[in-house]
Amino acid sequence: MQMVPREQFLPTVRMHITGPLEIMLEEAVTEAAITFCRESELITLDRFIRSASAGDLETVCDTDGLTSCNVLHLTGEGGAPFVSGRDYFAISTNEISVLTDLDNVRVWFAAAPLKGSKMLPAQLYTDHAEAIAHGVATLLYAQPDRPWSDPQRAGYHRAKFVEGWRRAGRFRKQHSAPTQVEFHNPTRKHSFF
């Protein structure tokens, strides 16, 4: 996955807010990117695990600078889904515990930048820089007791930010294979007396 430095977002951010220092802007860019990715699930990746034994702990996202923010599902050979609670257990958003022996597993997950990352996915910059800039403005205008504080502007930019991540989420759901983004909830089998 291509990554870009978070400083590339600053000219777009400066169109919306001019008061804060560069370092504050850069940290806010990372925070806005994390929120954007978590809410939209735009960055959908997969990881192939050749084999895992029962009791193993597997990291979902092994890409530098990124972490999983949601495990979408696991599939085996031929796309057969594995069942959470029976075949694996999600310990956290970035770690699963294998409950049965699994071979040739593909883990589908939504990814987000790590907190403090200096490099962000290029897709955020090329396609959604304006929405990220609105997210940065939301965070900074909402800070209390700062010369640039303005709750009304924070509300305006928050609405634009939410609109941006919803648009990105719709794009992901419309232009992905169903196995990449759909939540699979199989019917549970019950036995009564």
Side-chain angles (χ1 to χ4, degrees), residues 117-183:
S117 290
K118 295 185 185 305
M119 301 293 284
L120 302 173
Q123 185 178 4
L124 295 179
Y125 179 70
T126 57
D127 298 340
H128 304 285
E130 190 67 28
I132 299 294
H134 284 295
V136 172
T138 299
L139 292 169
L140 295 173
Y141 279 130
Q143 291 179 340
D145 300 328
R146 300 286 186 168
W148 57 81
S149 296
D150 188 346
Q152 286 183 326
R153 284 187 183 178
Y156 167 77
H157 287 289
R158 172 86 178 150
K160 293 288 191 180
F161 185 45
V162 170
E163 181 183 323
W165 88 48
R166 286 182 178 166
R167 186 172 46 250
R170 279 192 302 273
F171 171 82
R172 174 56 53 222
K173 286 179 179 33
Q174 290 172 354
H175 298 287
S176 296
T179 57
Q180 292 176 330
V181 295
E182 282 185 1
F183 176 72

Side-chain angles (χ1 to χ4, degrees), residues 2-191:
Q2 288 186 320
M3 304 289 269
V4 296
R6 63 187 182 183
E7 293 82 18
Q8 283 190 341
F9 289 87
L10 295 185
T12 308
V13 170
R14 285 282 185 206
M15 292 172 29
H16 299 290
I17 188 166
T18 57
L21 300 171
E22 293 280 320
I23 190 69
M24 295 176 79
L25 289 174
E26 291 174 11
E27 290 171 359
V29 165
T30 302
E31 290 299 317
I34 290 169
T35 302
F36 187 89
C37 289
R38 285 183 178 164
E39 296 296 332
S40 69
E41 296 184 347
L42 177 69
I43 311 297
T44 305
L45 303 173
D46 67 326
R47 176 174 176 233
F48 183 75
I49 301 171
R50 182 152 317 279
S51 67
S53 301
D56 287 354
L57 293 177
E58 292 287 338
T59 302
V60 174
C61 181
D62 59 354
T63 306
D64 289 338
L66 296 176
T67 186
S68 169
C69 59
N70 187 14
V71 177
L72 299 173
H73 60 274
L74 280 69
T75 57
E77 290 185 71
F82 291 111
V83 178
S84 177
R86 186 187 70 199
D87 300 316
Y88 69 95
F89 178 74
I91 293 177
S92 69
T93 56
N94 199 39
E95 193 172 47
I96 59 171
S97 173
V98 179
L99 300 177
T100 60
D101 293 341
L102 304 175
D103 292 319
N104 301 324
V105 179
R106 188 163 303 277
V107 181
W108 297 94
F109 61 95
L114 289 169
K115 191 169 183 68
S117 290
K118 295 185 185 305
M119 301 293 284
L120 302 173
Q123 185 178 4
L124 295 179
Y125 179 70
T126 57
D127 298 340
H128 304 285
E130 190 67 28
I132 299 294
H134 284 295
V136 172
T138 299
L139 292 169
L140 295 173
Y141 279 130
Q143 291 179 340
D145 300 328
R146 300 286 186 168
W148 57 81
S149 296
D150 188 346
Q152 286 183 326
R153 284 187 183 178
Y156 167 77
H157 287 289
R158 172 86 178 150
K160 293 288 191 180
F161 185 45
V162 170
E163 181 183 323
W165 88 48
R166 286 182 178 166
R167 186 172 46 250
R170 279 192 302 273
F171 171 82
R172 174 56 53 222
K173 286 179 179 33
Q174 290 172 354
H175 298 287
S176 296
T179 57
Q180 292 176 330
V181 295
E182 282 185 1
F183 176 72
H184 181 71
N185 189 11
T187 56
R188 305 287 188 227
K189 295 185 175 145
H190 298 283
S191 58

